Amino acid sequence: MTLSALSHQAAAVEVLTDKPIDLPGLLASSHHEQAGAVVLFSGDVRNHNIGREVSYLEYEAHNELAEKSIRKILEDAKEKWPLNIAAAQHRLGKVAILESAVVVITASAHRSEAFVANRYIIDRIKHETPIWKCEYYTNGEYSWGNNCNCAEITGDPDKHLYSQ
Amino acid sequence: MKIQLFASLKDFFGKELDIDQSISSVESLRQFLETQNPQSASLLKSCRFAVKDEFVANDYLLTDHDIISVIPPSSGG
């Protein structure tokens, strides 16, 4: 497969979706003859946060900016590491407990690059991509939650502190 | 000019604001919004602004016909 065909393959995965993320389908299409390692990270919706029982989440995005942001992050990852595949998809709208809210898939010749690139991509998506979650609790209350608070430390909304 | 607001900013301003008066720059818009709702000040300091689907800097000059998106810190994933 040519390099341009590979980029095409990565671009073919929709980065935003309002339908359930098809983890088995995305994984099935993420194998590559030159890649000995495939890493799939799924950010799942859990039933609790900071001691409160969560009923479900609802995500909203600035769609155009979010799509551009995720595509740029994937391109940056491909420049930093020799990846055969770099793909990501984020869910929008109401997402139930146990469902996947975001998936990142990386594939490379050896596992080291696939792991580190996957972590890089999900960290940047969580800090930079204009997508927001609203937590709805079992008692009927809601809160917009867990915003990136790097700007309070760096003084600049474009400067982030990454955990890696 | 028209202002589009997202996520927790909607609790302060609603989803969309129409502003009749001229506001010259992104920084002036931030100050205008803070004046409208002082409780939003700390959140607005962490927000990015975008025009025509591009992020713009604090000194970006606005026109009366611009549609400006105010982008709070991300909380996806």
Side-chain angles (χ1 to χ4, degrees):
Chain A
M1 191 180 281
T2 64
L3 282 176
S4 64
L6 285 176
S7 319
H8 178 73
Q9 183 183 20
V13 173
E14 272 186 299
V15 299
L16 301 175
T17 181
D18 52 12
K19 300 184 185 68
I21 293 178
D22 178 14
L23 293 175
L26 289 171
L27 181 59
S29 62
S30 298
H31 298 289
H32 187 281
E33 60 189 7
Q34 292 174 9
V38 180
V39 172
L40 182 152
F41 169 80
S42 171
D44 289 5
V45 177
R46 62 173 182 265
N47 67 359
H48 64 95
N49 194 35
I50 319 175
R52 302 187 76 174
E53 285 181 36
V54 174
S55 176
Y56 63 92
L57 301 184
E58 200 158 333
Y59 287 90
E60 80 172 52
H62 186 299
N63 287 23
E64 295 80 7
L65 285 173
E67 181 161 348
K68 255 199 264 190
S69 164
I70 292 177
R71 291 201 186 285
K72 175 75 167 68
I73 292 165
L74 295 173
E75 287 305 314
D76 287 352
K78 283 192 279 188
E79 277 183 25
K80 285 171 84 79
W81 295 280
L83 302 173
N84 301 108
I85 291 169
Q89 190 172 71
H90 203 299
R91 181 95 177 265
L92 299 179
K94 187 174 171 179
V95 187
I97 306 295
L98 291 175
E99 288 188 325
S100 175
V102 59
V103 61
V104 177
I105 301 175
T106 45
S108 56
H110 303 285
R111 66 185 180 281
S112 170
E113 291 83 1
F115 271 122
V116 72
N118 199 293
R119 177 69 185 267
Y120 167 90
I121 292 165
I122 187 60
D123 281 355
R124 280 192 62 190
I125 289 174
K126 287 179 76 88
H127 283 272
E128 295 176 33
T129 301
I131 296 178
W132 304 277
K133 69 162 73 73
C134 192
E135 294 178 346
Y136 288 84
Y137 304 106
T138 50
N139 67 1
E141 294 175 356
Y142 75 91
S143 78
W144 291 96
N146 292 327
N147 286 28
C148 154
N149 60 1
C150 295
E152 290 169 20
I153 298 160
T154 64
D156 182 345
D158 285 318
K159 287 209 175 69
H160 298 276
L161 304 165
Y162 295 102
S163 48
Q164 61 182 349
Chain B
M1 56 179 55
K2 203 178 274 276
I3 315 295
Q4 295 177 326
L5 301 128
F6 294 87
S8 47
L9 281 173
K10 293 188 298 189
D11 292 344
F12 293 111
F13 299 103
K15 199 177 167 185
E16 212 168 79
L17 271 183
D18 279 306
I19 300 177
D20 288 337
Q21 71 188 82
S22 286
I23 294 176
S24 60
S25 71
V26 163
E27 190 51 44
S28 312
L29 174 60
R30 192 195 305 265
Q31 286 164 10
F32 174 85
L33 292 172
E34 281 180 18
T35 311
Q36 294 292 305
N37 191 327
Q39 287 185 318
S40 70
S42 68
L43 177 60
L44 283 167
K45 280 188 183 49
S46 298
C47 285
R48 293 177 286 175
F49 290 74
V51 179
K52 296 190 183 78
D53 300 336
E54 296 283 351
F55 286 111
V56 291
N58 280 338
D59 58 0
Y60 181 88
L61 297 180
L62 300 171
T63 73
D64 292 348
H65 304 293
D66 276 335
I67 300 170
I68 301 129
S69 299
V70 192
I71 308 291
S74 302
S75 64

Coordinates of all heavy atoms in Angstrom, one line a residue, chain A residues 59-62 64-65 68 90 101-102 126-133 142 144-148 151-152 157-158, chain B residues 4-11 30 43 45-48 50 52-55 69-77:
Chain A
Y59 N -22.3 15.2 25.0 CA -21.1 16.0 24.4 C -21.6 17.0 23.4 O -22.5 16.6 22.6 CB -20.1 15.0 23.8 CG -19.4 14.2 24.7 CD1 -19.8 12.9 25.2 CD2 -18.1 14.6 25.2 CE1 -19.1 12.2 26.1 CE2 -17.4 13.9 26.1 CZ -17.9 12.6 26.5 OH -17.1 11.9 27.4
E60 N -21.0 18.2 23.4 CA -21.2 19.1 22.3 C -19.9 19.6 21.8 O -18.9 19.5 22.5 CB -22.1 20.3 22.7 CG -21.5 21.4 23.5 CD -22.4 22.6 23.6 OE1 -23.6 22.4 24.1 OE2 -22.0 23.7 23.3
A61 N -19.8 20.1 20.6 CA -18.6 20.5 20.0 C -18.8 21.7 19.2 O -19.9 22.0 18.7 CB -18.0 19.4 19.1
H62 N -17.8 22.5 18.9 CA -17.7 23.4 17.8 C -17.3 22.5 16.6 O -16.1 22.2 16.5 CB -16.8 24.5 18.0 CG -16.8 25.6 16.9 ND1 -16.5 25.3 15.6 CD2 -17.1 26.9 16.9 CE1 -16.6 26.4 14.9 NE2 -17.0 27.4 15.7
E64 N -16.8 22.3 13.3 CA -15.7 22.6 12.3 C -14.3 22.7 13.0 O -13.4 22.1 12.5 CB -16.0 23.9 11.6 CG -17.3 23.9 10.7 CD -18.5 24.1 11.5 OE1 -18.5 24.4 12.7 OE2 -19.6 24.0 10.9
L65 N -14.3 23.4 14.1 CA -13.0 23.5 14.8 C -12.5 22.2 15.4 O -11.3 21.8 15.4 CB -13.1 24.6 15.9 CG -13.1 26.0 15.5 CD1 -13.3 26.9 16.7 CD2 -11.8 26.4 14.8
K68 N -11.2 19.9 12.6 CA -9.8 20.4 12.2 C -8.8 20.1 13.3 O -7.7 19.6 13.0 CB -9.9 21.9 12.0 CG -9.9 22.4 10.6 CD -9.5 23.8 10.5 CE -10.7 24.7 10.4 NZ -10.3 26.1 10.0
H90 N -14.6 10.8 17.9 CA -15.3 11.3 19.2 C -16.8 11.3 19.0 O -17.2 11.8 17.9 CB -14.7 12.7 19.5 CG -14.9 13.0 21.0 ND1 -16.1 13.0 21.6 CD2 -14.0 13.2 22.0 CE1 -15.9 13.3 22.9 NE2 -14.7 13.4 23.2
A101 N -16.9 7.0 24.3 CA -17.1 8.4 24.0 C -16.0 8.8 23.0 O -16.2 9.8 22.2 CB -17.0 9.3 25.2
V102 N -14.9 8.2 23.0 CA -13.8 8.5 22.1 C -12.9 7.3 21.9 O -12.7 6.5 22.8 CB -13.0 9.7 22.7 CG1 -12.4 9.4 24.0 CG2 -11.9 10.2 21.7
K126 N -8.0 15.7 24.6 CA -8.7 16.1 25.8 C -8.4 17.5 26.2 O -9.3 18.2 26.8 CB -8.4 15.2 26.9 CG -9.0 13.8 26.8 CD -8.6 12.9 27.9 CE -9.3 13.1 29.2 NZ -10.6 12.5 29.4
H127 N -7.2 18.0 25.9 CA -6.8 19.4 26.3 C -7.2 20.4 25.3 O -7.5 21.6 25.6 CB -5.3 19.5 26.5 CG -4.9 18.9 27.8 ND1 -4.8 19.6 29.0 CD2 -4.4 17.7 28.1 CE1 -4.3 18.9 30.0 NE2 -4.1 17.7 29.5
E128 N -7.2 20.1 24.0 CA -7.2 21.1 23.0 C -8.5 21.2 22.1 O -8.9 22.2 21.6 CB -6.0 20.9 22.0 CG -4.7 21.1 22.6 CD -3.5 20.8 21.6 OE1 -3.7 21.1 20.4 OE2 -2.5 20.3 22.1
T129 N -9.0 20.0 21.8 CA -10.1 19.9 20.9 C -11.4 20.5 21.5 O -11.8 20.1 22.6 CB -10.4 18.5 20.5 OG1 -9.2 18.0 19.9 CG2 -11.5 18.4 19.5
P130 N -12.1 21.5 20.8 CA -13.3 22.1 21.4 C -14.5 21.2 21.4 O -15.4 21.3 20.6 CB -13.5 23.3 20.4 CG -12.5 23.3 19.4 CD -11.7 22.1 19.5
I131 N -14.4 20.3 22.4 CA -15.5 19.3 22.7 C -15.7 19.4 24.2 O -14.8 19.5 24.9 CB -15.2 17.9 22.3 CG1 -15.0 17.8 20.7 CG2 -16.3 16.9 22.7 CD1 -14.6 16.4 20.2
W132 N -17.0 19.4 24.6 CA -17.3 19.5 26.0 C -18.3 18.5 26.5 O -19.3 18.2 25.7 CB -17.9 20.9 26.3 CG -17.0 22.0 25.8 CD1 -16.0 22.6 26.5 CD2 -17.1 22.7 24.5 NE1 -15.4 23.5 25.7 CE2 -16.0 23.6 24.5 CE3 -17.9 22.6 23.4 CZ2 -15.8 24.5 23.4 CZ3 -17.7 23.4 22.3 CH2 -16.6 24.4 22.4
K133 N -18.1 18.0 27.7 CA -19.0 17.0 28.2 C -19.9 17.6 29.3 O -19.4 18.5 30.1 CB -18.3 15.8 28.8 CG -17.5 16.0 30.1 CD -17.2 14.7 30.8 CE -16.1 13.9 30.1 NZ -14.7 14.4 30.2
Y142 N -27.2 18.4 36.8 CA -26.1 18.3 35.8 C -25.0 19.2 36.0 O -25.2 20.2 36.7 CB -26.7 18.5 34.4 CG -27.0 20.0 34.0 CD1 -26.0 20.8 33.4 CD2 -28.2 20.6 34.4 CE1 -26.2 22.1 33.1 CE2 -28.4 21.9 34.1 CZ -27.5 22.7 33.5 OH -27.7 24.0 33.2
W144 N -21.4 20.9 33.8 CA -20.4 20.9 32.7 C -19.1 20.6 33.4 O -18.7 21.3 34.3 CB -20.3 22.2 32.0 CG -21.5 22.5 31.2 CD1 -22.6 23.2 31.6 CD2 -21.8 22.0 29.9 NE1 -23.5 23.2 30.6 CE2 -23.0 22.5 29.5 CE3 -21.1 21.2 28.9 CZ2 -23.6 22.2 28.3 CZ3 -21.6 21.0 27.7 CH2 -22.9 21.4 27.4
G145 N -18.4 19.5 33.0 CA -17.4 19.0 33.9 C -16.0 18.9 33.4 O -15.8 18.8 32.2
N146 N -15.1 18.9 34.3 CA -13.7 18.5 34.1 C -13.0 19.2 33.0 O -12.3 18.7 32.2 CB -13.6 17.0 33.7 CG -14.0 16.1 34.9 OD1 -13.7 16.5 36.1 ND2 -14.7 15.0 34.7
N147 N -13.2 20.6 32.9 CA -12.5 21.3 31.9 C -11.0 21.3 32.1 O -10.5 21.2 33.2 CB -12.9 22.8 32.0 CG -14.3 23.0 31.4 OD1 -15.1 22.1 31.5 ND2 -14.6 24.2 30.9
C148 N -10.3 21.3 31.0 CA -8.9 21.5 31.0 C -8.6 22.8 31.8 O -9.2 23.9 31.5 CB -8.3 21.6 29.6 SG -6.8 22.5 29.4
A151 N -4.8 26.7 31.6 CA -4.7 28.1 31.4 C -4.5 28.8 32.8 O -3.9 29.9 32.9 CB -5.8 28.7 30.6
E152 N -5.1 28.3 33.8 CA -5.0 28.9 35.2 C -3.5 28.8 35.6 O -3.1 29.7 36.4 CB -5.9 28.1 36.2 CG -7.4 28.4 35.9 CD -8.2 27.5 36.7 OE1 -7.8 26.9 37.7 OE2 -9.4 27.3 36.3
P157 N -4.6 30.3 27.1 CA -5.5 29.1 26.7 C -4.9 28.2 25.7 O -5.4 27.1 25.4 CB -6.7 29.9 26.2 CG -6.7 31.2 26.7 CD -5.2 31.6 26.9
D158 N -3.8 28.6 25.0 CA -3.1 27.8 24.0 C -1.9 27.0 24.6 O -1.3 26.3 23.8 CB -2.7 28.6 22.8 CG -3.8 29.1 22.0 OD1 -4.7 28.2 21.7 OD2 -3.9 30.2 21.6
Chain B
Q4 N -21.5 33.3 19.3 CA -21.9 31.9 19.6 C -21.2 31.4 20.8 O -20.0 31.5 20.9 CB -21.6 31.0 18.4 CG -22.3 31.4 17.1 CD -21.9 30.5 16.0 OE1 -20.8 30.1 15.8 NE2 -22.9 30.2 15.1
L5 N -22.0 30.8 21.7 CA -21.5 30.4 23.0 C -21.6 28.9 23.2 O -22.6 28.3 22.7 CB -22.1 31.2 24.1 CG -21.9 32.7 24.0 CD1 -23.2 33.4 24.0 CD2 -20.8 33.2 24.9
F6 N -20.7 28.3 23.9 CA -20.7 26.8 24.0 C -20.6 26.4 25.5 O -20.1 27.1 26.3 CB -19.5 26.2 23.2 CG -19.7 26.5 21.7 CD1 -19.2 27.6 21.2 CD2 -20.3 25.5 20.9 CE1 -19.3 27.8 19.8 CE2 -20.4 25.7 19.6 CZ -20.0 26.9 19.0
A7 N -21.1 25.2 25.7 CA -20.9 24.5 27.0 C -21.4 25.4 28.2 O -22.4 26.0 28.1 CB -19.5 24.0 27.1
S8 N -20.5 25.5 29.2 CA -20.9 26.2 30.4 C -21.1 27.7 30.2 O -21.8 28.3 30.9 CB -19.8 26.0 31.5 OG -18.5 26.3 31.0
L9 N -20.6 28.3 29.1 CA -20.9 29.7 28.8 C -22.3 29.9 28.5 O -22.8 31.0 28.7 CB -20.0 30.1 27.6 CG -18.6 30.4 27.8 CD1 -17.9 30.7 26.4 CD2 -18.4 31.7 28.7
K10 N -23.0 28.9 28.0 CA -24.5 29.0 27.7 C -25.3 29.3 29.0 O -26.3 30.0 29.0 CB -25.0 27.8 27.1 CG -24.4 27.5 25.7 CD -25.1 26.4 24.9 CE -25.0 25.1 25.7 NZ -25.4 23.9 24.9
D11 N -24.8 28.8 30.2 CA -25.4 29.1 31.4 C -25.3 30.6 31.8 O -26.2 31.1 32.6 CB -24.8 28.2 32.6 CG -25.1 26.7 32.4 OD1 -26.0 26.4 31.6 OD2 -24.5 25.9 33.0
R30 N -14.1 40.4 25.0 CA -14.0 39.7 26.3 C -14.4 40.6 27.5 O -15.1 40.2 28.4 CB -12.5 39.2 26.5 CG -12.3 38.2 27.6 CD -10.8 38.1 28.0 NE -10.0 37.7 26.8 CZ -9.6 36.5 26.5 NH1 -10.0 35.5 27.2 NH2 -8.8 36.3 25.5
L43 N -13.9 32.3 33.9 CA -14.0 31.4 32.7 C -13.6 32.1 31.4 O -12.9 31.5 30.6 CB -15.5 30.9 32.6 CG -15.8 30.0 31.5 CD1 -14.9 28.7 31.5 CD2 -17.3 29.6 31.4
K45 N -11.5 34.3 30.9 CA -10.0 34.4 30.8 C -9.4 33.2 30.2 O -8.3 33.2 29.6 CB -9.4 34.7 32.2 CG -9.5 36.1 32.7 CD -8.7 36.4 33.9 CE -8.9 37.8 34.4 NZ -10.3 38.3 34.5
S46 N -10.0 32.0 30.4 CA -9.5 30.8 29.9 C -10.0 30.4 28.5 O -9.7 29.3 28.0 CB -9.8 29.6 30.8 OG -9.2 29.8 32.1
C47 N -10.9 31.3 27.9 CA -11.5 31.0 26.7 C -10.7 31.4 25.5 O -10.0 32.4 25.5 CB -12.9 31.7 26.6 SG -14.1 30.9 27.6
R48 N -10.8 30.7 24.4 CA -10.3 31.1 23.1 C -11.5 31.6 22.3 O -12.6 31.3 22.5 CB -9.7 29.9 22.4 CG -8.4 29.3 23.1 CD -7.9 28.1 22.4 NE -8.7 26.9 22.6 CZ -8.5 25.7 22.0 NH1 -7.5 25.6 21.2 NH2 -9.3 24.7 22.3
A50 N -12.9 32.4 18.2 CA -12.7 32.0 16.8 C -13.6 32.7 15.9 O -14.8 33.1 16.2 CB -13.0 30.5 16.6
K52 N -14.8 32.7 11.6 CA -14.8 31.9 10.4 C -14.0 30.6 10.6 O -13.1 30.2 9.8 CB -14.2 32.7 9.3 CG -15.0 33.9 8.9 CD -14.4 34.5 7.6 CE -15.1 35.8 7.2 NZ -14.7 37.0 8.0
D53 N -14.3 29.9 11.7 CA -13.7 28.6 11.9 C -12.2 28.6 12.1 O -11.5 27.6 11.8 CB -14.1 27.5 10.9 CG -15.6 27.3 10.8 OD1 -16.2 27.6 11.9 OD2 -16.1 26.9 9.8
E54 N -11.6 29.7 12.5 CA -10.2 29.8 12.8 C -10.1 30.5 14.1 O -10.7 31.5 14.4 CB -9.5 30.7 11.7 CG -9.4 30.2 10.3 CD -8.4 29.1 10.1 OE1 -7.6 28.8 11.0 OE2 -8.5 28.4 9.0
F55 N -9.1 30.0 15.0 CA -8.9 30.7 16.2 C -8.2 32.0 15.9 O -7.4 32.1 15.0 CB -8.0 29.8 17.1 CG -8.7 28.7 17.7 CD1 -8.4 27.4 17.4 CD2 -9.7 28.9 18.7 CE1 -9.1 26.3 17.9 CE2 -10.4 27.8 19.3 CZ -10.1 26.5 18.9
S69 N -17.1 32.9 17.7 CA -17.4 31.8 18.7 C -16.5 31.9 19.9 O -15.3 32.2 19.7 CB -17.0 30.4 18.0 OG -17.8 30.2 16.8
V70 N -17.1 31.7 21.0 CA -16.3 31.8 22.3 C -16.1 30.3 22.8 O -17.1 29.6 23.0 CB -17.0 32.7 23.3 CG1 -16.0 32.9 24.5 CG2 -17.4 34.0 22.8
I71 N -14.9 29.9 22.9 CA -14.5 28.5 23.1 C -14.0 28.3 24.5 O -12.8 28.6 24.8 CB -13.5 28.1 22.0 CG1 -13.9 28.5 20.6 CG2 -13.1 26.6 22.2 CD1 -15.1 27.7 20.1
P72 N -14.8 27.7 25.4 CA -14.3 27.4 26.8 C -13.2 26.3 26.7 O -13.0 25.7 25.7 CB -15.5 27.0 27.5 CG -16.7 27.1 26.6 CD -16.1 27.3 25.2
P73 N -12.5 26.2 27.8 CA -11.5 25.1 27.9 C -12.2 23.7 27.6 O -13.3 23.5 27.9 CB -11.0 25.1 29.3 CG -11.3 26.5 29.8 CD -12.6 26.9 29.1
S74 N -11.4 22.9 26.9 CA -12.0 21.6 26.5 C -12.3 20.7 27.6 O -11.6 20.7 28.6 CB -11.0 20.9 25.5 OG -10.7 21.8 24.4
S75 N -13.3 19.8 27.4 CA -13.6 18.8 28.4 C -14.1 17.5 27.7 O -15.0 16.8 28.2 CB -14.6 19.3 29.5 OG -15.8 19.6 28.9
G76 N -13.5 17.2 26.6 CA -13.9 16.0 25.8 C -13.2 14.8 26.4 O -12.5 14.9 27.4
G77 N -13.4 13.7 25.7 CA -12.8 12.5 26.1 C -13.5 11.7 27.2 O -14.5 12.2 27.7

